[in-house]
Amino acid sequence: MGRGADYPEPAANPNDLTAIPAGPAGEQQGSRGHKRKQTLLSLLDALAELSKDEGLDELAPNQQPSFEDDRDVPTVDEHLQKVGAEAFNKFQRRVMNLDKELRNFANAARQLGSSVGILSSSYHLRGRLAQILYLFRENAADLFPRKISRQSRESISSTNLAQFRKGKRHRAPPHVHNPIVMEKLDPEDFPEQLQMFAQDVTTFLDCLNEFPEFTDEAVNAAILALEGDLKYWASCLKAYEGQFKYPAVQRYLHDLSSEMGEHIDSITSSLSVFIEIGVPTIRFAQKHASQNLLNLSTVATFFSAVTATTMQFSFDMTDSTLANAVNSFWFTSLVFSIGAAVNSLLGVTWKQAMYRSPGHRVPWWVLIWIKRSPLAFLVLSVACFSIGLVLFAYSSGQHQVTCTLTTVFSACSIVGLTAVSAWFASERWAFSRHNGTKWLADVLSETKVKVKSTRGVKWLIYEPRAWAWACSRWTRQHFRKLSDAVSELSARTVSRLTTVSEEKLADTERGITPVSPVPACASPEPLSPTFRRVGSEGGQLSPIAELTNTAASVTGDEDGTASIMSDHVGSLPGAGRGRFANAVRAVIKMRAASTAFPVEGRNPRRQRTMSSDGNGKEAEPVGVLKNSRVGTLVPKLKSLHPTQSFEAHVALVRHLQFSPNGKFLATSSWDRTSVIFKVGVSRSVREGMVLVPIHAQETFTSHRILAHPQGFVGQVAWSPSGHMLLTKLGRGVKVWTEDGVCRRTIDRRRNVQSITWLPGGEAFLSVEGSDVTKLDLNGTVLATYHFDRMVLHDVAVTQDGVRMVCVGTLTASADGFHPSKCRAEKQIIAYNMVKQEIENRVPVLHEVRDITLARNDQVALVSYENKAPPQLWKLDPVKDSVRLSLRHTYMPKVVVDFAGPSYFGGKNDQLVLCAGKAGDIHIWDRESGTLLHHIRAQTVGGDLTCIAWNHAWDTFMFATGSHDGGVRIWTTPAHFSGSIDSSAVSSRAPTNPANTPRSISPAPYDADYRTDSPTIQLSADAGDGALDTLAPRNSSQTLRPPIVVSS
């Protein structure tokens, strides 16, 4: 509807009813316009009433700060709203997936016996998930109202009301319909709901383990991990009672959704595998057990029929005691067989029933009667029938052989049946006693050892055995002596008979043997082997005959050579000796050749090296509104360029800091040194009454090098006056003057996490584990502030010295719970040093690194690890205390792994700086959270470790440290007026900075340069009082700064 000329301009407040005209202007519109106006008035009345109701909650003291004065806030806030909404939607999808898997599990579990417990527990777990999701949605709707809408409780339960409208006859069981949020939930119910959630998942796990046929360790581990973290979260959240409407606690709860979502994903995947594998396995095992009971029932029924048939031959025999005994045993057997059949059918029905109670909720006698009685009754029935059969054989006057065989075989059957039954019962006892860790055979072996170790039993077992061994040993010894005597006697007799016969034979041969005229060497049959030379073309060698009384043998030694052994070597003829020597040489060469082939080595495997060069995309320019109050900062920030770069250390630069007066820059490194640089003043000339700078490039001179033989230097801290310097070691602190004189070495004998000065400069604070110790410059302990169940990381003190703000990690909850899988809770604590009490604490989930207070003590900058962006927290005064509230989260364009602490910068701490490990630098506006400038990693060149801002300098100046020990100084031109062409001062760097020659000194405002600096040479002569100028990378001078070595 168009706007008429008579309508005034609308009011700024849309709920202001006085802005809508009434009277003559409305009467000119006619009936149709009057109706429209009345409709609008009624709608505005309704909106006004709603706004009044909502305004009551918005006027609470925990209201989030308004940023309506910053025009850049909507863009930043929109990004945060989008990121937060995506995180909640991801959590909602995870919860819905788990709810779907629980529904599928319930449908599959209905096929199993005794599934009512798991169905009920899964239904209650789904209901608890719905309540948890409702609470997290309400929390997200408070944080991100433009992206997350609230869901009324009626909308959750309205879709399921149709099931309750059905009649009682058609109403579904309580475990079938969808869960409903019936109770009224409040954010203060978070700890209770998380505790009940832990109980529900524990109940679900217990019901799941009621199926002994299948156990999934993955499901157990996932559920137990979730249970432990839920109890830990519930216990930690109890400390924030009454603060669940505060934005800081709401943000922590929102971050917990991601941790809980990981647990839910793990349970969902494990439950899906259980549905696919576990449920069919359990179903098969239950069918198998039911089939066994059915078979037992069939056997019992058949045996009862046999017993009843047999009783027809003896039921009328009642004239003797033996006949009565037969009837008694057979009637008892019939009773037991019928009981076994009936109990088997009862067990089948009980096992297949869905609504039967779990095993641990049934009395022991019921379980024994249903599970054990069928088999026991059948065994007793068989035993009674066998005894009655033996007695019947005697009572009916059967033949003696028949009676004997019946008795023997029945006895064997009964004994075997009793032994096997006892073995089964013992196995069951061993399983229940040792929980499956020992078999029955192991238990029997241990029992046997214990029985044998008894004193009397040991004597009965080992003494007779020892006597038997002694007797057998005495018998063997005497038998051996007797056999030896007999053998010696027989040998002597045979030897004497052999000697007599040899003498007679020698006399006979000496009288009749003629002398042979043929020499032994002419024997036609050679007795030695022939040899062939390897590789020779000749025939066989001539044979070598053995001479009379000559023994020759060729033997192989260990080294593979042949040796000749004979009694008469000289008796060989010359030609035969040469042939024999040649044969020996041939054998030696042949054996040597068999081992002379070298083993071919493996060719070295050729390794490939892969290189990948990433083509980084140019970052998009930061869009900032020209009319914004931060718009004037962008040209200055874009004019930032590196003016100097020098090698300060030979190892990683751990920390650096400018002095409060801006005259010095202190650095610390892992090379066990700390360097003090003196910031030079630009030269200028006077034109009239104005100083005009000639060179805008500041100069840095190496003032002192502070050596620390004890260990690495982790932190430097300038005093408020700028005349004293603290250096932090692993277990101590050193106090230095600005001229490098070590005043004191304070040994703390504890790990020192961080140090910070008190505002007056008369003392400092040392963070040591769970304590913050106040020390003077002589190392005297002035006070100690203890924080229970906390490990502190950093601390900052307000300018009035009344409060300090600490960051640390919670070691355990108030109830003693520890996180099982999630990250431990971290806290930001506002502590009153005068009253020595905690005024306020807020939880955070990310790994806190350090904290820095602005100079006005109104805001604190908290830095995190593991790619978490820095955050700005406001200290709101509330009566005599303060309360911490989250003001901004400084989001980069892409995920960045930040390095070192974040810093305030600019005039009145209007900027926030943070360096990335990859080498990029982000600069935000503190108040609006807008990313004003992003210096890319290619421009910086090298991995960064820390950053520091010079607050006392007129122009923008900050320093960065890197892994290679280098320090780079960034400044803006001194004559910058704020309207410089962005193309002339944009931050850029050449692709190959090493190609820049050292002999060329570029202009100080050119950004396209990077030159190398010679390595700093440290002189050991500490008496040299001259201070050499530390040259930048484009200088060729070699520096020799004085070294101060502290003992």
Side-chain angles (χ1 to χ4, degrees):
M1 182 175 66
R3 179 180 299 177
D6 296 333
Y7 287 113
E9 292 295 330
N13 187 1
N15 296 330
D16 189 3
L17 301 181
T18 60
I20 299 180
E27 294 175 357
Q28 294 178 2
Q29 297 295 329
S31 60
R32 184 175 181 181
H34 182 71
K35 292 181 178 180
R36 290 181 178 177
K37 187 180 71 173
Q38 294 297 331
T39 304
L40 290 175
L41 286 174
S42 61
L43 290 175
L44 288 175
D45 289 338
L47 291 175
E49 294 296 331
L50 291 176
S51 64
K52 289 180 181 179
D53 295 338
E54 295 178 356
L56 296 177
D57 297 334
E58 295 177 356
L59 292 177
N62 56 356
Q63 178 178 343
Q64 297 186 11
S66 175
F67 306 108
E68 296 180 356
D69 55 338
D70 296 328
R71 291 190 233 180
D72 296 327
V73 171
T75 304
V76 178
D77 190 52
E78 186 69 22
H79 177 67
L80 295 177
Q81 295 267 334
K82 182 179 179 181
V83 173
E86 290 177 354
F88 172 75
N89 292 331
K90 184 178 181 180
F91 173 73
Q92 185 178 13
R93 287 193 298 270
R94 287 172 167 175
V95 173
M96 299 307 295
N97 290 336
L98 179 57
D99 183 78
K100 179 181 177 181
E101 289 298 331
L102 288 174
R103 291 199 309 268
N104 295 337
F105 179 77
N107 293 330
R110 288 191 180 95
Q111 306 173 5
L112 307 177
S114 184
S115 59
V116 66
I118 196 66
L119 293 177
S120 177
S121 61
S122 63
Y123 168 73
H124 288 293
L125 183 58
R126 290 177 58 201
R128 191 65 58 191
L129 283 174
Q131 296 178 3
I132 293 294
L133 182 60
Y134 176 80
L135 287 177
F136 274 104
R137 174 179 283 277
E138 292 296 311
N139 183 75
D142 290 338
L143 291 175
F144 319 109
R146 294 200 295 270
K147 297 295 182 180
I148 304 296
S149 60
R150 299 182 184 274
Q151 189 173 3
S152 62
R153 193 174 294 103
E154 290 77 9
S155 63
I156 299 178
S157 58
S158 61
T159 56
N160 304 314
L161 293 178
Q163 297 183 5
F164 295 94
R165 297 193 185 101
K166 297 180 179 179
K168 183 177 180 181
R169 180 179 179 182
H170 304 285
R171 181 174 298 176
H175 58 268
V176 175
H177 57 76
N178 294 327
I180 304 171
V181 181
M182 299 296 296
E183 55 187 83
K184 185 177 181 181
L185 298 177
D186 188 78
E188 296 293 333
D189 297 333
F190 257 109
E192 182 182 0
Q193 289 295 324
L194 293 179
Q195 185 70 29
M196 296 176 69
F197 189 17
Q199 296 177 3
D200 289 338
V201 296
T202 304
T203 304
F204 179 78
L205 181 61
D206 293 339
C207 295
L208 198 63
N209 291 331
E210 284 298 326
F211 299 101
E213 297 86 359
F214 184 82
T215 301
D216 193 350
E217 295 296 334
V219 177
N220 292 348
I223 293 180
L224 290 177
L226 176 60
E227 176 196 3
D229 287 342
L230 287 174
K231 291 182 178 179
Y232 174 75
W233 292 332
S235 179
C236 292
L237 289 176
K238 291 179 182 178
Y240 308 103
E241 183 178 359
Q243 304 178 22
F244 288 95
K245 282 291 186 178
Y246 290 0
V249 181
Q250 288 179 337
R251 174 67 63 174
Y252 176 70
L253 291 172
H254 177 72
D255 293 337
L256 283 184
S257 63
S258 61
E259 298 281 330
M260 192 181 300
E262 295 179 359
H263 284 288
I264 291 176
D265 278 346
S266 177
I267 295 177
T268 302
S269 58
S270 302
L271 201 59
S272 177
V273 174
F274 190 89
I275 294 173
E276 295 179 0
I277 301 177
V279 173
T281 303
I282 296 173
R283 181 61 179 168
F284 174 78
Q286 289 184 353
K287 285 185 177 180
H288 181 70
S290 301
Q291 188 64 36
N292 290 339
L293 289 177
L294 288 176
N295 296 336
L296 189 62
S297 175
T298 303
V299 172
T301 303
F302 175 77
F303 194 77
S304 62
V306 171
T307 304
T309 303
T310 311
M311 287 177 57
Q312 295 180 3
F313 299 98
S314 63
F315 74 95
D316 53 351
M317 298 172 57
T318 59
D319 51 351
S320 64
T321 304
L322 196 60
N324 292 330
V326 170
N327 290 330
S328 299
F329 277 104
W330 279 358
F331 273 104
T332 303
S333 174
L334 182 62
V335 171
F336 279 130
S337 60
I338 295 175
V342 174
N343 288 344
S344 299
L345 294 177
L346 182 62
V348 171
T349 306
W350 186 78
K351 280 185 172 296
Q352 293 180 350
M354 182 179 67
Y355 296 97
R356 69 177 173 91
S357 301
H360 67 281
R361 298 182 182 273
V362 178
W364 61 271
W365 57 271
V366 175
L367 291 178
I368 292 177
W369 185 265
I370 294 177
K371 293 182 177 181
R372 310 302 173 195
S373 64
L375 183 59
F377 283 1
L378 184 60
V379 170
L380 292 176
S381 176
V382 172
C384 291
F385 181 80
S386 301
I387 295 174
L389 186 62
V390 171
L391 296 178
F392 180 75
Y394 287 99
S395 64
S396 60
Q398 301 295 326
H399 194 268
Q400 189 67 27
V401 176
T402 303
C403 295
T404 303
L405 292 178
T406 303
T407 303
V408 170
F409 290 140
S410 297
C412 293
S413 176
I414 293 175
V415 170
L417 188 62
T418 305
V420 172
S421 300
W423 180 267
F424 286 168
S426 301
E427 284 183 335
R428 178 64 182 176
W429 173 84
F431 175 78
S432 61
R433 179 69 179 273
H434 302 284
N435 295 324
T437 58
K438 294 182 180 180
W439 297 102
L440 179 59
D442 300 333
V443 176
L444 294 178
S445 299
E446 294 177 357
T447 306
K448 182 179 179 181
V449 171
K450 291 181 180 179
V451 170
K452 287 184 177 181
S453 62
T454 307
R455 187 172 182 179
V457 177
K458 182 178 180 180
W459 187 88
L460 291 175
I461 294 176
Y462 291 103
E463 289 299 328
R465 187 181 300 176
W467 293 344
W469 285 348
C471 294
S472 63
R473 185 166 54 254
W474 182 84
T475 304
R476 287 196 301 269
Q477 290 177 358
H478 287 71
F479 181 77
R480 187 181 299 109
K481 291 180 180 179
L482 181 61
S483 61
D484 292 342
V486 173
S487 299
E488 183 179 0
L489 180 61
S490 61
R492 288 180 180 180
T493 304
V494 172
S495 176
R496 173 166 291 188
L497 293 176
T498 304
T499 303
V500 173
S501 61
E502 287 180 353
E503 291 177 355
K504 293 181 180 180
L505 181 60
D507 295 338
T508 304
E509 291 179 351
R510 189 181 303 113
I512 63 175
T513 304
V515 178
S516 178
V518 181
C521 60
S523 177
E525 295 180 359
L527 301 178
S528 62
T530 59
F531 298 88
R532 178 182 297 273
R533 186 184 302 271
V534 179
S536 64
E537 297 179 359
Q540 295 183 353
L541 298 177
S542 300
I544 302 174
E546 293 183 356
L547 301 179
T548 306
N549 299 328
T550 301
S553 63
V554 181
T555 61
D557 295 339
E558 293 178 358
D559 57 352
T561 61
S563 62
I564 308 299
M565 296 181 296
S566 63
D567 295 337
H568 303 280
V569 180
S571 62
L572 292 174
R577 185 182 302 172
R579 292 178 181 178
F580 184 77
N582 293 334
V584 171
R585 293 191 189 97
V587 172
I588 294 174
K589 291 181 179 181
M590 181 174 61
R591 291 189 177 183
S594 63
T595 59
F597 294 102
V599 180
E600 295 183 359
R602 296 182 180 179
N603 295 329
R605 182 176 297 176
R606 185 176 181 181
Q607 299 180 355
R608 294 185 177 181
T609 58
M610 301 180 62
S611 61
S612 60
D613 49 350
N615 298 324
K617 297 182 180 180
E618 295 293 332
E620 298 179 358
V622 181
V624 182
L625 298 178
K626 296 299 181 181
N627 297 329
S628 173
R629 63 176 180 81
V630 298
T632 57
L633 294 175
V634 176
K636 291 184 179 181
L637 296 176
K638 285 188 176 182
S639 67
L640 283 168
H641 63 283
T643 56
Q644 295 191 51
S645 181
F646 41 84
E647 299 293 338
H649 299 276
V650 295
L652 178 144
V653 179
R654 186 64 182 88
H655 186 250
L656 46 82
Q657 186 183 40
F658 283 96
S659 61
N661 54 20
K663 296 180 180 181
F664 298 99
L665 170 66
T667 64
S668 63
S669 172
W670 284 358
D671 61 358
R672 301 189 177 188
T673 62
S674 179
V675 183
I676 301 177
F677 298 97
K678 191 171 184 179
V679 182
V681 182
S682 302
R683 291 183 300 170
S684 60
V685 295
R686 181 179 299 274
E687 293 182 1
M689 299 299 294
V690 181
L691 288 175
V692 179
I694 297 177
H695 298 289
Q697 179 177 350
E698 294 77 8
T699 59
F700 280 72
T701 58
S702 179
H703 185 55
R704 288 291 186 272
I705 296 179
L706 314 179
H708 299 73
Q710 291 86 354
F712 299 147
V713 186
Q715 182 186 356
V716 292
W718 285 100
S719 64
S721 62
H723 300 305
M724 303 295 293
L725 177 68
L726 297 178
T727 56
K728 181 188 76 68
L729 302 176
R731 290 176 174 264
V733 181
K734 287 184 176 294
V735 183
W736 307 80
T737 64
E738 62 182 3
D739 294 329
V741 178
C742 183
R743 293 278 300 275
R744 181 72 64 178
T745 299
I746 303 174
D747 186 10
R748 293 302 302 155
R749 301 183 183 275
R750 297 178 62 184
N751 290 330
V752 180
Q753 298 293 333
S754 65
I755 51 177
T756 184
W757 284 89
L758 291 178
E762 73 284 356
F764 64 93
L765 299 179
S766 174
V767 179
E768 304 169 357
S770 300
D771 299 329
V772 177
T773 307
K774 183 179 179 181
L775 303 168
D776 62 6
L777 299 183
N778 295 323
T780 304
V781 177
L782 303 179
T784 301
Y785 310 100
H786 180 72
F787 294 83
D788 190 24
R789 299 177 290 105
M790 289 287 296
V791 175
L792 300 178
H793 303 300
D794 195 13
V795 64
V797 185
T798 57
Q799 295 296 327
D800 56 4
V802 176
R803 296 179 178 86
M804 63 178 175
V805 185
C806 316
V807 292
T809 303
L810 192 67
T811 57
S813 65
D815 299 329
F817 292 105
H818 298 271
S820 59
K821 187 179 178 181
C822 68
R823 292 175 288 180
E825 179 183 312
K826 291 80 182 177
Q827 292 182 356
I828 306 175
I829 301 174
Y831 186 85
N832 192 309
M833 301 171 63
V834 178
K835 300 179 181 179
Q836 294 190 1
E837 63 180 9
I838 296 176
E839 295 182 343
N840 186 239
R841 67 174 74 197
V842 294
V844 291
L845 193 60
H846 301 293
E847 300 291 336
V848 290
R849 177 183 291 137
D850 47 44
I851 186 169
T852 304
L853 277 172
R855 284 177 287 183
N856 58 5
D857 289 338
Q858 295 182 0
V859 290
L861 184 62
V862 180
S863 303
Y864 301 94
E865 295 180 354
N866 300 329
K867 302 180 181 180
Q871 290 182 336
L872 186 70
W873 292 81
K874 184 174 176 57
L875 280 70
D876 297 321
V878 179
K879 295 182 180 181
D880 295 335
S881 63
V882 295
R883 189 180 64 204
L884 296 167
S885 62
L886 179 63
R887 183 172 177 86
H888 282 304
T889 299
Y890 299 103
M891 301 293 296
K893 288 187 175 180
V894 295
V895 178
V896 178
D897 193 1
F898 294 102
S902 305
Y903 257 87
F904 287 114
K907 185 179 180 181
N908 298 325
D909 296 335
Q910 59 183 341
L911 302 176
V912 172
L913 292 86
C914 197
K917 292 182 180 179
D920 46 356
I921 301 173
H922 292 77
I923 304 177
W924 293 274
D925 176 59
R926 192 193 77 179
E927 291 299 326
S928 63
T930 305
L931 181 60
L932 302 179
H933 190 41
H934 175 208
I935 302 175
R936 294 180 295 275
Q938 293 84 356
T939 304
V940 178
D943 297 338
L944 300 183
T945 58
C946 51
I947 191 171
W949 185 275
N950 191 348
H951 293 276
W953 211 251
D954 294 335
T955 58
F956 287 175
M957 176 190 295
F958 65 88
T960 57
S962 59
H963 277 273
D964 57 0
V967 175
R968 178 168 293 192
I969 308 300
W970 296 72
T971 58
T972 57
H975 62 278
F976 190 85
S977 60
S979 60
I980 298 178
D981 187 9
S982 61
S983 62
V985 295
S986 60
S987 299
R988 60 189 189 275
T991 56
N992 189 6
N995 295 331
T996 304
R998 295 188 181 184
S999 60
I1000 300 177
S1001 298
Y1005 301 117
D1006 293 340
D1008 293 340
Y1009 77 92
R1010 178 184 176 183
T1011 56
D1012 295 332
S1013 172
T1015 305
I1016 300 175
Q1017 299 180 1
L1018 304 180
S1019 175
D1021 186 8
D1024 188 4
L1027 301 180
D1028 296 330
T1029 303
L1030 180 61
R1033 290 185 181 268
N1034 56 0
S1035 174
S1036 60
Q1037 298 180 1
T1038 302
L1039 303 179
R1040 298 182 182 272
I1043 303 176
V1044 180
V1045 180
S1046 173
S1047 59

